[in-house]
Amino acid sequence: MDTFTQNSLQVESIRGTDTGKSTLLYEVPDAESILLFVGTPHKEMQAENNPFRCIVTENVADAQKVINQLQHIFKKVPAAIIYRFDSAYESALSEWNTYFKTHQFLCSIPFFVYTDKGFDEMKSLMGRHTFIDDIITQEAWQVLGNKIAIVSKVKRMRTFPVYRSSTLRTRLYTRRFYSNFLKRSLDVALAGGGLLMLSPVMLVIAALIRLESKGPIFYAAKRAGRNYRVFKFYKFRTMVPDADRQLDKIKHLNQYDGQTDGPVFIKVSNDPRVTKLGGFLRNTSLDEIPQLLNVLKGDMSLVGNRPLPLYEANTLTTDEWVERFLAPAGITGLWQVSKRGKKEMSVKERIDLDINYAHNRSLRYDMWLMASTPFALVQKDNV
């Protein structure tokens, strides 16, 4: 196999007849993380700031040989495996499924399917092959390091009892099929019905936003949800059009404690960037109606932990905080019901609430949180 970037590992060809050589890799520097890519590599992998040393193989059999080499010669495993979707995906994924069943230790390696297009249509693959952690596209290369850090920790919790007591591990990762099925069914039914009923309200809000200020009607930005899955998050625009570029100017107003290291959240009381109509939409939570589209697409659930902006999610990749990403992203949740609109809140308190929900979530708990949400919708402070 040829080297495809200056950052790549040099990998000896393993195609064709067996030459009798037992070593396929020349050298694996300890300082680099290894990314195993199956298929034709993407040009974005050649970026100078790519933190990974990439091994590329043409097929699943070659990839499994490389994993064996890494284990037995260099005492390492890949930081992640990425399979590039192609026409032979059914047989390839079946090979991976059989492989992981016979190599339980390797089930903790993050596994992603890369595709150039058709992202939404491929979500069903994750249901049929549970070892797949996410379907990623070209945009994922920008956040791949943090995504791998979070997914690897989550998968270690699932795979190795040493990371969690057996009681908690059972509560977190088993007996969830029917609960998840009912939760998704409820999400689709309520989100679809909600969009139909609220469509006249949405049209009025869209017209008012357009009349008040220039700029887009909807605010769309990247957010990180369960397992650090990045998706486009929708809301009605409540701020001036260039609000994101003004973020540094208002950080001194942050209502969270002003620590400079560790997790970072930014929430501003009476944010000067919020328009008059935007303040009303936020205080009544009407700005969040478009998130029902995210629920229908499967990016979010009605109940879960709030999806985070990437600059916030990037600070939560440690073992201490990563558990908040075990839960699905949601429109409402424990934090909204118990703390929405309140200024007296620390970063630790916010994350502890997210982790608490991740550990205790159930369909019954979700129903209680949804029933409690209307009482938290109208807030006194513009945050």
Side-chain angles (χ1 to χ4, degrees), residues 104-263:
Q104 292 292 320
F105 174 80
L106 300 176
C107 290
S108 62
I109 300 175
F111 190 103
F112 307 113
V113 174
Y114 172 83
T115 180
D116 293 309
K117 56 183 179 180
F119 175 84
D120 291 330
E121 292 77 4
M122 294 176 59
K123 289 179 181 177
S124 62
L125 289 179
M126 298 177 64
R128 301 202 305 271
H129 303 282
T130 57
F131 59 87
I132 300 176
D133 296 296
D134 202 358
I135 310 296
I136 63 174
T137 59
Q138 176 180 345
E139 295 180 346
W141 299 119
Q142 305 301 319
V143 297
L144 191 59
N146 287 319
K147 188 178 187 70
I148 289 174
I150 288 177
V151 173
S152 63
K153 289 181 175 68
V154 170
K155 294 193 81 169
R156 284 201 300 269
M157 292 177 193
R158 295 175 179 174
T159 307
F160 306 118
V162 69
Y163 281 87
R164 280 289 177 268
S165 68
S166 58
T167 301
L168 177 59
R169 190 165 172 266
T170 299
R171 180 152 41 96
L172 281 174
Y173 304 114
T174 60
R175 303 174 186 174
R176 284 289 176 88
F177 175 80
Y178 293 108
S179 178
N180 288 337
F181 175 78
L182 291 174
K183 180 179 176 70
R184 180 58 185 157
S185 300
L186 187 66
D187 283 344
V188 172
L190 293 182
L195 283 171
L196 288 175
M197 292 177 60
L198 295 172
S199 55
V201 177
M202 295 177 68
L203 289 174
V204 172
I205 293 174
L208 292 175
I209 292 173
R210 178 65 72 190
L211 289 173
E212 182 185 43
S213 63
K214 295 181 179 180
I217 293 173
F218 296 100
Y219 171 76
K222 293 179 181 178
R223 291 289 189 268
R226 186 177 186 178
N227 282 6
Y228 203 87
R229 182 188 165 201
V230 178
F231 62 92
K232 190 169 289 187
F233 170 87
Y234 300 105
K235 295 178 70 173
F236 280 120
R237 181 173 61 84
T238 58
M239 293 185 177
V240 295
D242 61 343
D244 287 342
R245 293 194 291 272
Q246 299 181 25
L247 185 61
D248 289 337
K249 298 179 181 179
I250 51 89
K251 282 185 177 180
H252 65 285
L253 301 174
N254 191 6
Q255 75 178 63
Y256 288 105
D257 44 36
Q259 62 187 51
T260 56
D261 57 345

Side-chain angles (χ1 to χ4, degrees), residues 311-327:
Y311 64 83
E312 292 181 358
N314 290 349
T315 66
L316 299 176
T317 59
T318 64
D319 289 333
E320 183 179 6
W321 305 119
V322 74
E323 291 181 54
R324 64 95 53 206
F325 290 102
L326 290 169

Side-chain angles (χ1 to χ4, degrees), residues 21 24 51 68 82 110 200 265 283 292 304 307 324 340 363 365 380:
K21 297 181 180 180
L24 303 176
N68 184 66
I82 300 180
F265 288 122
N283 290 338
L292 294 173
R324 64 95 53 206
R340 180 178 173 85
L363 187 62
Y365 196 21
K380 295 180 180 180

